[in-house]
Amino acid sequence: MCGIFGYTGKKEAQGLVLEGLKHLEYRGYDSSGIAVLNGARHISVKKTDGKIRKLEEILKVHPLKGTTAIGHTRWATHGTPSPHNAHPHLDGESEIAVVHNGIIENYFDLKKTLEEEGIRFQSETDTEVIVHLVAKHYKGILENAVRRALKELRGTFAIAVMTSHESGKIVAAKLDSPLVLGLGKGENFLASDVSAVLTHTNRVIYLENGEMVTLTGEEFKITNFAGKAVSRKPVVIDWDVTRAQKGGFEHFMLKEIFEQPDILAAILKERVTGTRIHFDELKIPAAQLKRIKRILIIACGTAYHAGLTAKYIFEEFTDIPVSVDTSSEFRYRNAVIDKNTLLIAISQSGETADTLAGLREAKKKKALTLTLCNVLGSSLSREAKGVIYTHAGPEIAVASTKAYTAQLAVLYLLALYFAQIGAGSSKKITPALKEFMHIPVLMRKILDSYKRNESQWRDNAHDFSQRRKNAPNFFLYLGRHINYPNALEGALKLKEISYIPAEGYAAGEMKHGPIALIDENPWVICLAPKSKTYDKMISNIQEIRARSGCVIPIVTEGDEEIKKLNPIYIIQIPEVSEIFSPLLTVIPLQLIAYTMAREFGRDIDQPRNLAKSVTVE
Ligand code: M6R
């Protein structure tokens, strides 16, 4: 995790680096820092614990002048969040500065050797070994020193390095942590994520693993770690920067929830022509996909829940067996896969370390690999045989919402595409697409109803918070069949942004344990839209009510049955067939989490201890 940003050019660098870091703050926000190289060949550093706005306040009072700088926003791995552990780190003479994203696995041994050589360490971080190694090897040309230092490092890293001896120069290197160059006119940028450079340029180059770059305002030179020149053409990014701003919403999360209908409509417009589905960027020929005997999906967190839902979707539209695993479990299993397996890696960021490792494992075993991700040019998208982008636009809130529904939308279309190429029932395609086209309108209806009833939602959240003062209440989420993964997703969303304990369960599992938790305290969110398991959900609700449990059901409009069971609040969604219902039931779940977190005054877009992309194991 962590975000790094670098600038070299003719402008004052401090403001540009601060702005870049704000775009990367989702990657980590427990401390931050900046090093600026000025004309007098001196490196000045400011670091602090806390968020970037704290660094900004410090820099307002003590500005750093200079036109070359590197900055860092941290998610602590080694050493507590504190000013001395914040990056950039300096060598003993304060002549070299380093920022780092990743983990140096052999730092302990390196540190021991360096200490024996007389180096005094200032922090508890793994990163600090890098700066001392570069200093040790420095003989007047920074890139040579960095290259020699890299030979000694094991682990994952994206680093940026400057020295007071060479003005205007930044050297950066990448291994398994993302790094992108932004190419401007008379200025160049470095960042962990393309969204951080887009206000300045849309011409970018993604560094590959094992590559380094030497950057000045006028030029850049890419080589591999051995020093061999690499030539790579820039790509032009067409993301709209305004999509990464709040646009009048109180939080990015709320804005992103409200963007969902438009994103789904755009996905359908892009991928469906008449009754034909197409994935133009997919490099895997249809004939090869058709030969696949099974699909294995790997993902983490919310993306994993999209994978779980996909299993039901594929079972509905295709005849291909699907299994789903969390990437962190899959990568250490001795999974039986071969060239007839399609491994689908789902990831918003495309940088999740476990998912990347899982994909590599599958490649070793000769599986065909496909990445479904949101961030263009990300590591997963580059390493898989095929990629399908979800095109949800930049997702800034740490809690994933629009990326999830975009993943689901693409997975529905992918399943239907399999049916189209002969691996499923072609009869189902036209009616399914007809209904799917209407989903964005139905999503909008739910959001409009939330806006109309916002005060009621807030009152409910307030009621819960008042009750919580007297009793240790928490949330249970129950769902069945294709809405079971959404029960997990609802609980995850609530936990991560409101810090209220929550569990998601397959409702059929209630009797096997969780029912012991039921008394008048917990609130039980029951996903009960019209479906083939509706009657079973009614039974679950009755069982909860019989034990004085508080129920909030999510039902299909016009449901009279559940009203009779005296729920504390009913949330309605428009009528939709069961197979597409997760796209609707998830919206109230996102709004419940949002409203609760707001009631409890949480930092909704940047919840504690989390980071947007988990690039460490
Ligand atoms: O970028 P990815 O989709 O691979 O990220 C996976 C998870 O880290 C992510 O979904 C996480 O669980 C979110 N915070 C959920 O809101």
Side-chain angles (χ1 to χ4, degrees):
M1 342 254 256
C2 304
I4 66 180
F5 191 89
Y7 171 81
T8 178
K10 295 189 182 70
K11 297 179 190 146
E12 280 302 319
Q14 172 186 297
L16 296 166
V17 172
L18 277 174
E19 185 208 310
L21 289 180
K22 283 185 194 160
H23 284 284
L24 299 171
E25 201 168 17
Y26 70 85
R27 301 178 63 86
Y29 36 80
D30 57 38
S31 49
S32 61
I34 179 172
V36 179
L37 181 55
N38 67 25
R41 300 200 157 196
H42 175 75
I43 293 178
S44 319
V45 174
K46 286 278 181 278
K47 312 200 272 191
T48 178
D49 54 355
K51 298 205 167 174
I52 299 194
R53 59 174 173 268
K54 192 166 165 199
L55 181 67
E56 194 170 23
E57 290 308 315
I58 294 171
L59 289 167
K60 261 188 207 153
V61 185
H62 305 285
L64 302 181
K65 295 273 170 207
T67 60
T68 304
I70 53 179
H72 187 271
T73 180
R74 180 169 186 247
W75 184 86
T77 58
H78 297 64
T80 52
S82 63
H84 72 281
N85 284 331
H87 304 210
H89 290 284
L90 293 174
D91 69 314
E93 307 298 321
S94 300
E95 290 174 346
I96 295 173
V98 167
V99 289
H100 166 223
N101 167 210
I103 289 183
I104 304 304
E105 286 163 4
N106 58 337
Y107 89 98
F108 192 77
D109 294 339
L110 291 171
K111 186 172 178 175
K112 199 161 158 262
T113 312
L114 287 163
E115 278 176 336
E116 280 161 12
E117 289 169 9
I119 305 286
R120 284 189 49 219
F121 277 72
Q122 307 294 326
S123 74
E124 291 104 51
T125 65
D126 53 336
T127 301
E128 198 182 337
V129 297
I130 306 173
V131 74
H132 295 304
L133 285 176
V134 175
K136 183 172 149 184
H137 294 300
Y138 188 72
K139 302 271 179 309
I141 299 175
L142 185 61
E143 47 275 44
N144 291 351
V146 171
R147 191 169 291 120
R148 293 190 65 183
L150 292 178
K151 282 195 184 136
E152 299 183 48
L153 301 179
R154 273 205 330 268
T156 61
F157 50 82
I159 57 169
V161 191
M162 329 183 287
T163 171
S164 55
H165 296 290
E166 296 178 67
S167 56
K169 185 192 271 189
I170 300 175
V171 175
K174 168 189 153 61
L175 188 70
D176 287 339
S177 293
L179 200 55
V180 60
L181 310 185
L183 306 177
K185 291 202 175 94
E187 57 186 5
N188 285 311
F189 304 82
L190 266 179
S192 299
D193 176 353
V194 72
S195 64
V197 301
L198 283 182
T199 36
H200 308 289
T201 177
N202 63 351
R203 287 178 63 237
V204 304
I205 291 182
Y206 293 96
L207 276 201
E208 298 287 348
N209 281 336
E211 289 180 353
M212 293 174 54
V213 64
T214 304
L215 207 64
T216 62
E218 297 305 326
E219 58 182 15
F220 66 92
K221 186 176 172 210
I222 303 175
T223 65
N224 63 17
F225 286 179
K228 188 165 176 270
V230 172
S231 123
R232 170 121 3 97
K233 281 207 184 108
V235 289
V236 177
I237 299 291
D238 65 358
W239 268 7
D240 178 357
V241 186
T242 56
R243 289 182 75 185
Q245 291 161 359
K246 275 191 205 153
F249 285 88
E250 198 177 338
H251 297 96
F252 277 112
M253 181 180 178
L254 193 61
K255 178 193 170 219
E256 288 162 3
I257 292 172
F258 272 79
E259 277 179 69
Q260 294 176 108
D262 288 344
I263 292 168
L264 256 75
I267 290 173
L268 286 164
K269 191 164 172 223
E270 179 194 1
R271 309 275 185 200
V272 183
T273 310
T275 54
R276 299 294 293 172
I277 299 149
H278 42 90
F279 293 102
D280 298 336
E281 74 273 46
L282 183 59
K283 290 200 194 111
I284 308 173
Q288 194 177 0
L289 277 181
K290 207 179 148 184
R291 284 197 297 273
I292 282 304
K293 297 274 183 291
R294 63 181 280 239
I295 293 175
L296 172 57
I297 299 178
I298 58 165
C300 300
T302 289
Y304 170 65
H305 299 152
L308 287 177
T309 312
K311 182 175 163 67
Y312 296 87
I313 300 172
F314 274 78
E315 282 171 356
E316 174 70 17
F317 295 122
T318 78
D319 45 30
I320 312 168
V322 177
S323 50
V324 190
D325 213 343
T326 51
S327 313
S328 51
E329 285 302 315
F330 169 76
R331 63 181 290 192
Y332 294 114
R333 272 200 301 126
N334 192 15
V336 182
I337 49 178
D338 58 18
K339 63 179 178 19
N340 296 316
T341 305
L342 173 67
L343 179 118
I344 306 181
I346 308 176
S347 172
Q348 187 286 131
S349 62
E351 301 294 346
T352 299
D354 283 320
T355 309
L356 202 49
L359 181 103
R360 288 177 185 156
E361 197 54 35
K363 277 168 80 174
K364 269 194 228 151
K365 292 180 172 170
K366 306 277 180 268
L368 184 60
T369 53
L370 168 65
T371 286
L372 208 142
C373 89
N374 194 35
V375 176
L376 307 187
S378 59
S379 303
L380 274 164
S381 69
R382 283 175 288 131
E383 292 201 21
K385 168 92 196 278
V387 58
I388 298 179
Y389 287 113
T390 48
H391 292 316
E395 190 177 62
I396 307 297
V398 165
S400 187
T401 54
K402 64 175 184 172
Y404 179 61
T405 43
Q407 283 159 356
L408 290 182
V410 170
L411 287 161
Y412 279 103
L413 292 176
L414 187 61
L416 290 165
Y417 178 75
F418 269 99
Q420 179 176 291
I421 63 175
S425 160
S426 62
K427 281 203 299 252
K428 291 185 178 170
I429 301 174
T430 307
L433 284 179
K434 196 168 163 220
E435 180 165 23
F436 200 177
M437 292 293 174
H438 197 51
I439 295 287
V441 176
L442 304 183
M443 288 174 125
R444 224 165 266 135
K445 277 178 88 174
I446 300 172
L447 292 167
D448 288 345
S449 148
Y450 165 79
K451 272 200 274 184
R452 282 196 307 275
N453 300 302
E454 207 176 331
S455 61
Q456 176 72 59
W457 281 69
R458 288 192 186 171
D459 289 349
N460 287 339
H462 186 63
D463 180 22
F464 181 88
S465 73
Q466 293 309 304
R467 292 183 194 212
R468 195 167 156 75
K469 285 184 181 152
N470 307 317
N473 55 353
F474 57 94
F475 274 73
L476 263 180
Y477 289 74
L478 300 179
R480 281 177 181 262
H481 193 251
I482 196 165
N483 276 296
Y484 158 54
N486 267 357
L488 302 179
E489 174 61 9
L492 173 67
K493 218 78 309 165
L494 187 81
K495 276 183 276 202
E496 65 179 336
I497 60 166
S498 73
Y499 322 146
I500 298 168
E503 281 304 327
Y505 265 97
E509 285 290 293
M510 256 302 269
K511 291 193 198 68
H512 302 282
I515 199 160
L517 295 169
I518 302 295
D519 57 15
E520 64 288 354
N521 289 322
W523 281 18
V524 189
I525 309 288
C526 296
L527 298 172
K530 267 193 192 160
S531 70
K532 59 174 164 288
T533 53
Y534 175 79
D535 291 343
K536 309 283 171 207
M537 279 306 300
I538 295 273
S539 305
N540 285 127
I541 295 173
Q542 266 160 342
E543 287 154 11
I544 298 164
R545 293 294 299 125
R547 288 158 182 83
S548 312
C550 300
V551 174
I552 299 185
I554 298 177
V555 302
T556 306
E557 262 164 17
D559 186 313
E560 293 299 324
E561 195 67 24
I562 287 181
K563 264 192 204 150
K564 295 180 204 151
L565 301 175
N566 283 327
I568 47 177
Y569 187 62
I570 298 188
I571 299 170
Q572 305 201 27
I573 59 160
E575 182 148 7
V576 66
S577 67
E578 183 176 7
I579 190 74
F580 286 109
S581 61
L583 288 167
L584 301 190
T585 56
V586 74
I587 295 180
L589 299 179
Q590 298 166 342
L591 291 167
I592 289 170
Y594 175 80
T595 316
M596 283 295 163
R598 196 179 175 284
E599 166 65 26
F600 282 83
R602 306 300 191 211
D603 191 343
I604 294 180
D605 288 332
Q606 293 177 341
R608 69 183 182 200
N609 303 340
L610 293 175
K612 185 76 181 159
S613 1
V614 183
T615 55
V616 293
E617 196 182 339

